[in-house]
Amino acid sequence: MTSRSPDPGHDRRIPAEALPADERGLIAWIQLLRSRRVGPATFIRLVSEHGSAQAALDALPKVAAAAGVQSYAPSRRDRAEDELAAGRAAGAAPLLLGAPDYPAELTTIADPPPLLWVLGDADLLRCPAVALVGARSASALGQRMASRLAAELG
């Protein structure tokens, strides 16, 4: 992955004290992230400004109203609980932006994902890596090239 220098006007860090301390905090993290109109940049800003995902969730209706969005409701808690349960049932573990185990290279991209679900050995995320990025509807040539590149990488 080619990394870019972070834009100094766009802080991508989550303060360590804003990371969830327990399962309730993790559910709030997922709930905020899955809320309408909350993408990675907004998530990072809200958590940084309010100190936690739960505090950001509590403030979200007022923040939305100030932006002209009426009758705003965050994503439902039960949906976040279901996502967490489904991830765990699949054997996946959540990695949170700002946590020590979050891939450092991802923090250098614009709007890094606040949550990653990881299957397998998460320590492999610390190894050198190559990413092949393509289209959802790749051409036959694109598919052959990606397959060839992947095979040559081993």
Side-chain angles (χ1 to χ4, degrees):
M1 170 180 0
T2 302
S3 61
R4 294 185 263 162
S5 298
D7 172 4
H10 188 91
D11 194 350
R12 292 169 189 80
R13 292 173 296 184
I14 299 284
E17 61 274 8
L19 289 168
D22 56 22
E23 181 133 333
R24 289 181 55 84
L26 179 56
I27 291 167
W29 188 281
I30 296 169
Q31 186 181 2
L32 176 62
L33 183 59
R34 302 302 180 225
S35 293
R36 187 170 46 96
R37 296 182 177 211
V38 177
T42 301
F43 180 95
I44 293 165
R45 181 179 56 78
L46 288 169
V47 170
S48 296
E49 286 176 3
H50 296 282
S52 71
Q54 185 59 60
L57 273 171
D58 295 342
L60 198 51
K62 287 183 182 179
V63 170
V69 179
Q70 300 303 316
S71 304
Y72 183 88
S75 180
R76 294 188 347 228
R77 182 175 178 80
D78 63 321
R79 289 189 176 165
E81 291 168 341
D82 290 347
E83 180 176 336
L84 181 58
R88 288 182 172 158
L95 292 182
L96 306 179
L97 179 62
D101 55 353
Y102 190 90
E105 278 293 309
L106 277 180
T107 64
T108 67
I109 67 170
D111 305 327
L115 169 68
L116 299 172
W117 286 102
V118 178
L119 288 170
D121 186 356
D123 287 337
L124 293 174
L125 295 171
R126 291 179 185 74
C127 296
V130 173
L132 297 176
V133 181
R136 290 184 185 158
S137 180
S139 67
L141 175 61
Q143 290 178 7
R144 285 193 307 272
M145 291 302 296
S147 179
R148 182 175 169 197
L149 286 168
E152 289 178 10
L153 288 169

